[in-house]
Amino acid sequence: TFRGEVAGGRLELGGEIDLKKPAEPVFDLRMKADKVLVLRNDALTMRVDTDLRLAGPLNTALASGTVFITESRFFREIDILPIGLPGKPKPKPRAAPSAKTFALPNAPFRDWKFDIAIRTRGNDPFRIRGNLANGTAAADLKLTGSGLQPNLEGNVRVENFVASLPFSKLTVNQGFLYFSPESPLDPSLDLQAESTVRDYRVTAYVYGKVSDPQVTIISEPPLPQAEIIALLATGTTINELNGGSQSSGKGLDPRA
């Protein structure tokens, strides 16, 4: 039995290793963790509870069990949409990671098999915090396959997410990130956000791969997309900014 503390969390390891053939050990180990810190940087703090088992020969072992993400959060200044003042050039897209898959190509891990659930608990979601956006996310993922060809599939559900802009708020009513074995590090987005600005109801759809997201914005009553972006960012339309005499008077006074 092995017990210890890791960055404020508790770790326990037990079981046995059969060394009848020292060059080919056979494992039957179980690892339990309680709020162990696995990752921390300027933006992310992640702790996990685990109940994992490693069983079988060194070169063909099976790793199985459950990992719960707990007491974790992401904090950063977040831009939900590339919104700027009318007339400003469109910002360049941020560089996305080129890797779409991952693997453990070296022995002994390449032939290990995996059957590990990665989840959050209902009363302990992953928290997203920032100067412009706050919300939570619930994970329901599964790691299967082998070390050489691991598969990560499932979804992350975005909940209670609100982006606060200077003149409006965008609320995500429903949102998912879908992970598939074909591109486990480049999930698909399916987000819908709504906002009410003055007499306009705005709906934004974000879809496609994380590496190349697409955004569609519509409003009721209808406005061109550029006008909607200006409305979200400044509280008024481009037409109203360019000509005060044509403004309805409900937005910003461009002479102010």
Side-chain angles (χ1 to χ4, degrees):
T1 300
F2 172 84
R3 293 187 180 93
E5 292 188 3
V6 181
R10 295 191 300 273
L11 181 67
E12 181 176 340
L13 181 66
E16 63 182 29
I17 303 175
D18 188 339
L19 296 173
K20 292 178 182 178
K21 296 181 179 180
E24 300 176 7
V26 178
F27 294 90
D28 187 6
L29 299 175
R30 188 172 184 180
M31 182 179 72
K32 291 187 176 182
D34 181 27
K35 298 179 177 61
V36 168
L37 182 67
V38 294
L39 180 62
R40 181 171 61 189
N41 55 38
D42 292 341
L44 181 64
T45 299
M46 183 176 292
R47 293 181 179 272
V48 297
D49 297 341
T50 69
D51 187 357
L52 298 174
R53 185 184 181 193
L54 182 66
L58 174 62
N59 291 320
T60 58
L62 170 65
S64 60
T66 304
V67 174
F68 284 105
I69 301 170
T70 183
E71 295 185 3
S72 301
R73 72 170 190 168
F74 175 87
F75 179 84
R76 182 177 289 176
E77 295 184 356
I78 303 172
D79 295 327
I80 301 301
L81 296 173
I83 295 175
L85 291 174
K88 293 291 185 67
K90 182 179 179 181
K92 295 180 179 180
R94 295 179 179 178
S98 57
K100 301 296 188 298
T101 61
F102 64 99
L104 302 171
N106 299 321
F109 307 109
R110 65 184 181 189
D111 294 319
W112 282 19
K113 301 295 188 293
F114 297 96
D115 185 14
I116 299 175
I118 304 171
R119 299 172 178 165
T120 54
R121 297 184 177 94
N123 60 350
D124 186 16
F126 182 84
R127 290 169 173 78
I128 303 169
R129 298 290 183 265
N131 65 322
L132 297 179
N134 291 277
T136 61
D140 186 8
L141 303 170
K142 190 84 169 181
L143 177 64
T144 58
S146 65
L148 189 60
Q149 291 184 318
N151 296 323
L152 182 65
E153 51 189 323
N155 66 76
V156 173
R157 185 175 69 254
V158 179
E159 303 173 327
N160 305 317
F161 193 88
V162 179
S164 299
L165 302 174
F167 295 92
S168 62
K169 288 186 177 181
L170 279 168
T171 302
V172 174
N173 300 319
Q174 60 180 7
F176 288 90
L177 279 77
Y178 294 104
F179 292 77
S180 65
E182 294 76 19
S183 55
L185 300 183
D186 191 20
S188 298
L189 288 163
D190 183 8
L191 302 173
Q192 177 180 323
E194 291 187 351
S195 178
T196 300
V197 186
R198 292 165 41 185
D199 297 329
Y200 295 92
R201 181 179 179 182
V202 177
T203 303
Y205 300 94
V206 185
Y207 56 94
K209 292 293 186 179
V210 168
S211 60
D212 185 26
Q214 306 297 312
V215 180
T216 298
I217 308 175
I218 61 175
S219 70
E220 183 62 41
L223 284 174
Q225 184 159 299
E227 296 278 6
I228 300 173
I229 292 176
L231 187 66
L232 290 171
T234 68
T236 189
T237 64
I238 298 174
N239 181 55
E240 292 168 347
L241 283 174
N242 291 337
S245 61
Q246 299 177 4
S247 172
S248 63
K250 297 180 180 180
L252 294 177
D253 184 348
R255 298 169 295 180

